[in-house]
Amino acid sequence: MNAPTPADVPVRRIDRILSFTALGLLIVAVGCFFAIIIGTAVHADQSAPVWHVLYWITAASPVVAFGCILAVLIMNSVRRSRANRVHNRVR
């Protein structure tokens, strides 16, 4: 009986989705941050609602991205520990 080794555990679709979501959120946050810097440098009227949205995206995106990365790490460690447990039982 061939049990999968811990190194053979495949990457699931949800792991990829969460990883790329975290990366995308961080890229959007950095883009919004630079937009705020540029808007401040050119003395744009920052009382418009779009600036408030940019501020909130800049503040919330890294937190949500951290949550996505944390979820991937937890799911990955649980999956690897289960694979180790199954692998050690088969031996």
Side-chain angles (χ1 to χ4, degrees):
M1 180 172 178
N2 268 343
T5 61
D8 294 338
V9 177
V11 178
R12 295 181 305 178
R13 177 179 283 175
I14 188 70
D15 295 335
R16 287 191 179 128
I17 290 171
L18 286 173
S19 299
F20 285 119
T21 300
L23 180 65
L25 285 171
L26 290 175
I27 290 171
V28 168
V30 169
C32 289
F33 179 72
F34 283 125
I36 291 170
I37 289 175
I38 292 169
T40 304
V42 297
H43 303 292
D45 178 26
Q46 295 192 354
S47 63
V50 70
W51 292 105
H52 298 292
V53 171
L54 289 177
Y55 287 128
W56 278 105
I57 290 173
T58 303
S61 292
V63 175
V64 175
F66 179 74
C68 289
I69 292 170
L70 194 62
V72 168
L73 288 174
I74 290 170
M75 289 188 308
N76 192 21
S77 64
V78 167
R79 190 173 65 243
R80 284 186 181 265
S81 69
R82 287 180 183 164
N84 281 334
R85 197 174 316 136
V86 169
H87 180 70
N88 289 336
R89 280 186 195 159
V90 173
R91 280 193 198 183

